[in-house]
Amino acid sequence: MTHAVHESALLHATCEARYVHDLALRDPTALHAWPVQSTHAHAHVKGLDASRALQMPGVRAVLTGADVPGAQQIGPVRHDEPLFPSEVCYHGQPVCWVIADTEAEARAAASQVQVAYEPLPALLTIEAAIAADSFLTQPQTIETGRPDEEMAASAHRLSGELRVGGQEHFYLEMQCAYVHRDAAGGLHVHSSTQHPTETQITVAHVLGVPAHEVICEALRMGGAFGGKETQASSFAAIAALGCLVTGRAVVVRLDRRRDFAITGKRHPFLARYEVGFESDGRLRALRVELFSNGGYSLDLSAAIMNRALFHIDNCYRIEHLRARGRVARTHLPSNTAMRGFGGSQAMVIVEEIVDRVARTLGLPVEQVRERNFYGPGDRTHYGQEVRDADRIGRIWRELMTSSRFTERRRDLAAWNARSRDTKRGLAITPVKFGISFTTTYLNQAGASVLVYRDGSVQVNHGGTEMGQGLHTKVRVVAARALGVLPQSVRLMPTRTDKVPNTSATAASSGSDLNGEAVRRACVELRERLAPVAGQLLGCAPGEVTFADGRVSGAGKLVAFVEVVERAFLQRLPLFAMGFYATPGIHYDAQRGRGEPFRYFAYGAAVAEVEVDGFTGHYRLLAIDILHDVGDSLAPLIDRGQIEGGFLQGMGWLTCEEVVFGPDGALRSRGASTYKLPGIGECPERFVVNTLGRASEAGAVFGSKATGEPPLMLAISVREALRDAVAAFGGIGPVALGCPATPEAVYWAIQERTRPGSGA
Ligand code: MTE
Ligand code: HPA
Ligand code: MOS
């Protein structure tokens, strides 16, 4: 069987793939918007004078709150984001927007808008917010066992603190929206959004019109990574408002600097923990307090903290555990979803804890990790059974063997003994990631499948394509379920007038949810066609099989199109809607108990690094990955997701650093000041394998979600760097910053080798 190639691969490679801005550029009548941005992190807006800007060439309007016919406040969960703020809450926040004939004219005029501010004190860090009692949420807690008693009874205890950095999504295509009135007078919104329904609803609220007046279409995105789950909607609302005010089509497109400064990022976290453990390395009790930096508004921060609390165990059984989390409110852009969605931060924290336990005891870290793995029948701290816990051990052992871990550990020790100024480090880390939206009701999807008389097929579903290959996977599902060739299936641009009330394409569940909705629609069609085929073939409907565009039964064969034509003449409907709601999941947030996930995705990675003791500079020598993708729908897509997710995680944990100045202005605002992993940082040897015999009963055609889980494989790189730092001397735990930039690695080595250091 040939594996499905990304349905837009050729278009990507030839630059023919169109994005929202390309659509807008084909419309010469479209106007362009540019924001006037706050020059303070926190201030009252005392006055706004647009008279000079309105005199500038090409200017059509300056949008302010006075133009809004509907809701002034937006926000996905809590409506706490004013489109036109009278109190600015972060540096760079849009205060108003200029609409002009060209982007250059809008930009020039924006600089002429006079805004008077009365500055107010600003909180920028989690620590400052804690001191000021500034929070966006009440604390959430998940507790199991008797953490206090068992902590006291543990043979060993240690406590610590870890700060985990944020991360910019750095999608290649910036936030963009293009809105025009369609021929029927409705608003047609083209948006680079992961959540067309929320974008539709936000536009409708701001304009004060019913949802049916607004169509949101999402052709494709040039990357999203969670950054367009909620945060695309405000830009669509501005474009729609501009369209309402001027009567013309309006485009909003941010440049890199503005996108970086205006939109939220991955949440930085602060963890304070105490762990109790036994002399063999077994974890007995854990108390951990998590704080995230939510920025100025709630956005998805509560759900992100929730997912963090769900992942503080990673693969480890900790029978007595209390995890508490609270979101700090600061004067920064509102932090949002990003690949891993809080689970990633929590997993970094628990891997640090396990490493400290092992090094405190002087035991090999990989042994302590393995010793604490969940086994069959175990339940997590929120009460969900880890049904296929044996996969953790299976992946671990297979990867240990295939990566030759033990021999390499020995070779590496010998190498380090010979090398004084350069040291190598090796680590293996596991991943367990819960699949489903933790907000149960979001786990639903719809689809519509249309069969034309010539046998060609159009598929609509509620998911969006952001490069992750969702359309490719759904096409495989449709072709298989209908028994036609993939090339006769066309995936249509996602539109809210085709499938309504959709969830965001997020939580890695795009193909699980939309794929299953499409499969069900196809099964309904096939069941309708089977009796017709039975007549043609002379057999019972139950004996008919559909495969590869042919329909067979009773030893005979007809083309799919013949069956379709016959069904049409018999006046049967050749279209079907499909719907799927993930069964069996539930969660009671009050009790902190339930089964929030349909299943877990598993994987493990081995990283080997080489560190220069003089500079902290390092090289990634080799990566070995074994990841569980179930029965892959599209192995090439899944490989891309594993490699890409790993590298994005590596960037987060080793080189990307979001830096704000003391005034709250973003200092790292482009690729020149924000170090992304480049080809030079890619591992010299990069081995990616997928787990065999891994069919997932709970998902479409036995497949498994692969969008987010591989990102956490990169924790292995941070732990390998720690291992290398340890090799420079000293004993006991190694303190290492996160991200482990070369600078952080340098200071870790200094700390470790400082004469008289406790280590
Ligand atoms: N892959 C690419 N190329 N671009 C993206 O924006 N987003 C990631 C992941 N992989 C992303 C990606 C995130 S955050 C999620 S939740 C999933 O894809 C969403 O798509 P899926 O549910 O279809 O896997
Ligand atoms: N993951 C991603 N996005 C979400 C989630 C989740 O668990 N819940 C709400 N939005
Ligand atoms: Mo992904 S962070 O769930 O969009």
Side-chain angles (χ1 to χ4, degrees):
M1 193 176 79
T2 57
H3 293 317
V5 171
H6 195 289
E7 39 83 39
S8 294
L10 198 63
L11 300 179
H12 291 157
T14 56
C15 297
E16 287 170 288
R18 290 213 172 86
Y19 298 86
V20 173
H21 195 243
D22 299 307
L23 304 179
L25 287 180
R26 294 190 308 179
D27 177 357
T29 68
L31 303 176
H32 299 261
W34 201 264
V36 175
Q37 295 175 271
S38 166
T39 50
H40 296 272
H42 189 199
H44 284 304
V45 177
K46 302 302 285 181
L48 200 152
D49 179 3
S51 52
R52 268 204 350 238
L54 286 164
Q55 304 298 313
M56 300 274 290
V59 174
R60 302 286 172 153
V62 177
L63 300 180
T64 68
D67 296 305
V68 178
Q72 294 278 351
Q73 303 254 124
I74 65 168
V77 178
R78 190 182 286 164
H79 299 313
D80 57 355
E81 301 177 6
L83 267 187
F84 301 97
S86 55
E87 177 188 340
V88 289
C89 287
Y90 67 94
H91 200 289
Q93 183 173 11
V95 179
C96 62
W97 291 76
V98 178
I99 311 283
D101 289 344
T102 66
E103 201 173 272
E105 286 167 339
R107 187 172 182 161
S111 70
Q112 297 304 309
V113 175
Q114 310 294 310
V115 185
Y117 298 99
E118 180 191 313
L120 297 165
L123 303 167
L124 302 179
T125 62
I126 294 173
E127 285 88 342
I130 294 172
D133 199 32
S134 170
F135 293 100
L136 286 160
T137 61
Q138 291 301 314
Q140 316 173 41
T141 306
I142 300 179
E143 181 168 339
T144 188
R146 301 171 306 277
D148 299 321
E149 292 90 318
E150 297 294 323
M151 185 72 69
S154 298
H156 308 266
R157 278 184 294 281
L158 63 82
S159 58
E161 209 174 77
L162 178 66
R163 276 171 203 74
V164 178
Q167 185 179 25
E168 164 62 22
H169 302 86
F170 226 102
Y171 28 66
L172 290 180
E173 178 212 23
M174 260 64 70
Q175 301 274 359
C176 187
Y178 161 54
V179 178
H180 63 86
R181 270 204 192 280
D182 62 28
L187 276 179
H188 197 123
V189 178
H190 293 272
S191 169
S192 180
T193 177
Q194 285 173 258
H195 199 341
T197 287
E198 190 165 282
T199 299
Q200 174 201 21
I201 298 302
T202 302
V203 167
H205 281 173
V206 170
L207 266 51
V209 299
H212 73 206
E213 294 296 316
V214 182
I215 293 171
C216 181
E217 175 168 347
L219 174 60
R220 64 162 66 74
M221 283 164 276
F225 307 111
K228 297 168 181 174
E229 180 171 347
T230 61
Q231 301 212 348
S233 294
S234 71
F235 307 111
I238 294 295
L241 194 62
C243 182
L244 185 79
V245 167
T246 64
R248 298 261 299 268
V250 173
V251 193
V252 171
R253 181 189 58 154
L254 300 182
D255 63 355
R256 178 65 68 192
R257 185 161 163 171
R258 271 144 204 91
D259 196 304
F260 220 136
I262 293 173
T263 67
K265 305 165 205 325
R266 184 190 294 289
H267 289 66
F269 267 61
L270 167 65
R272 293 179 176 148
Y273 61 85
E274 185 173 11
V275 59
F277 51 101
E278 301 303 314
S279 299
D280 61 357
R282 237 175 273 262
L283 304 176
R284 183 154 168 188
L286 176 65
R287 288 191 299 232
V288 55
E289 223 175 341
L290 302 178
F291 297 95
S292 68
N293 190 336
Y296 85 101
S297 72
L298 183 63
D299 194 90
L300 295 173
S301 298
I304 289 162
M305 180 55 79
N306 201 217
R307 187 171 278 274
L309 297 177
F310 284 137
H311 287 79
I312 196 66
D313 57 340
N314 193 10
C315 292
Y316 308 118
R317 184 197 318 109
I318 310 169
E319 267 176 83
H320 306 280
L321 186 156
R322 181 185 307 124
R324 230 165 67 106
R326 202 167 183 196
V327 181
R329 181 175 192 269
T330 59
H331 296 98
L332 291 178
S334 191
N335 286 323
T336 191
M338 185 168 183
R339 210 173 193 171
F341 204 79
S344 34
Q345 289 90 324
M347 287 159 69
V348 169
I349 291 160
V350 69
E351 289 304 334
E352 162 129 344
I353 292 173
V354 173
D355 184 278
R356 284 195 64 191
V357 165
R359 289 185 198 276
T360 298
L361 296 170
L363 294 172
V365 188
E366 54 276 7
Q367 210 178 78
V368 173
R369 288 203 167 95
E370 188 172 6
R371 203 161 271 171
N372 283 289
F373 282 164
Y374 280 118
D378 283 342
R379 289 183 183 273
T380 64
H381 49 303
Y382 45 91
Q384 173 153 3
E385 187 187 341
V386 190
R387 260 187 308 271
D388 36 17
D390 57 309
R391 276 195 197 181
I392 303 171
R394 180 150 76 90
I395 289 173
W396 193 259
R397 287 186 299 275
E398 284 185 23
L399 183 63
M400 278 282 207
T401 306
S402 68
S403 68
R404 300 176 39 255
F405 191 92
T406 311
E407 298 95 299
R408 280 166 67 190
R409 166 67 75 212
R410 218 177 28 234
D411 296 349
L412 190 131
W415 194 92
N416 281 341
R418 289 193 307 270
S419 171
R420 198 191 54 185
D421 303 322
T422 307
K423 299 288 186 187
R424 291 184 174 178
L426 184 68
I428 175 168
T429 58
V431 167
K432 163 180 133 288
F433 195 78
I435 302 299
S436 288
F437 286 94
T438 57
T439 309
T440 301
Y441 77 85
L442 294 175
N443 295 285
Q444 55 173 311
S448 100
V449 177
L450 318 180
V451 179
Y452 292 91
R453 277 174 75 184
D454 66 354
S456 67
V457 179
Q458 280 186 349
V459 171
N460 298 276
H461 62 84
T464 56
E465 176 61 41
M466 58 193 94
Q468 88 280 35
L470 175 59
H471 282 347
T472 311
K473 288 185 171 182
V474 171
R475 186 197 227 180
V476 168
V477 168
R480 241 200 258 175
L482 267 183
V484 300
L485 293 168
Q487 51 269 35
S488 55
V489 178
R490 178 169 174 222
L491 268 290
M492 302 307 290
T494 312
R495 284 172 59 136
T496 55
D497 58 342
K498 296 298 173 71
V499 179
N501 311 323
T502 53
S503 291
T505 306
S508 302
S509 51
S511 53
D512 287 10
L513 296 174
N514 297 287
E516 180 61 17
V518 166
R519 194 190 67 83
R520 290 180 176 198
C522 293
V523 167
E524 187 177 324
L525 283 166
R526 217 179 50 202
E527 283 170 358
R528 216 175 279 156
L529 292 173
V532 181
Q535 295 158 15
L536 285 171
L537 296 163
C539 67
E543 291 162 40
V544 175
T545 57
F546 293 76
D548 303 327
R550 290 186 293 262
V551 185
S552 53
K556 288 198 290 259
L557 203 77
V558 287
F560 180 74
V561 62
E562 281 181 62
V563 181
V564 166
E565 178 62 15
R566 178 81 166 239
F568 176 78
L569 294 176
Q570 291 182 10
R571 299 189 294 172
L572 292 173
L574 293 173
F575 55 90
M577 300 289 283
F579 182 77
Y580 176 60
T582 312
I585 47 173
H586 54 90
Y587 184 65
D588 177 347
Q590 288 305 312
R591 291 177 49 242
R593 284 293 179 284
E595 188 148 335
F597 302 117
R598 180 70 169 150
Y599 60 86
F600 295 105
Y602 300 104
V606 172
E608 185 171 352
V609 299
E610 186 176 303
V611 173
D612 177 330
F614 295 118
T615 61
H617 184 79
Y618 48 76
R619 285 192 305 144
L620 185 49
L621 300 177
I623 289 295
D624 291 83
I625 288 172
L626 182 58
H627 197 77
D628 175 10
V629 301
D631 292 336
S632 179
L633 291 170
L636 294 173
I637 297 288
D638 282 342
R639 171 170 290 264
Q641 287 295 296
I642 295 168
E643 292 177 353
F646 171 84
L647 287 171
Q648 191 164 38
M650 191 184 90
W652 168 45
L653 295 173
T654 66
C655 56
E656 298 177 37
E657 212 168 4
V658 180
V659 181
F660 291 96
D663 55 352
L666 185 69
R667 292 281 188 273
S668 52
R669 51 197 176 192
S672 60
T673 44
Y674 184 77
K675 177 72 186 101
L676 295 159
I679 194 73
E681 282 78 27
C682 284
E684 291 167 25
R685 203 174 67 89
F686 197 177
V687 181
V688 174
N689 284 304
T690 54
L691 188 68
R693 295 176 290 112
S695 190
E696 171 52 55
V700 59
F701 288 129
S703 66
K704 249 177 154 165
T706 50
E708 294 167 283
L711 183 123
M712 278 69 66
L713 296 168
I715 297 172
S716 62
V717 181
R718 180 163 185 269
E719 294 308 319
L721 287 168
R722 192 198 305 278
D723 192 56
V725 171
F728 281 95
I731 51 160
V734 179
L736 179 63
C738 187
T741 56
E743 193 179 334
V745 170
Y746 171 81
W747 287 115
I749 297 168
Q750 290 300 304
E751 173 68 24
R752 190 79 183 171
T753 53
R754 185 163 49 89
S757 82

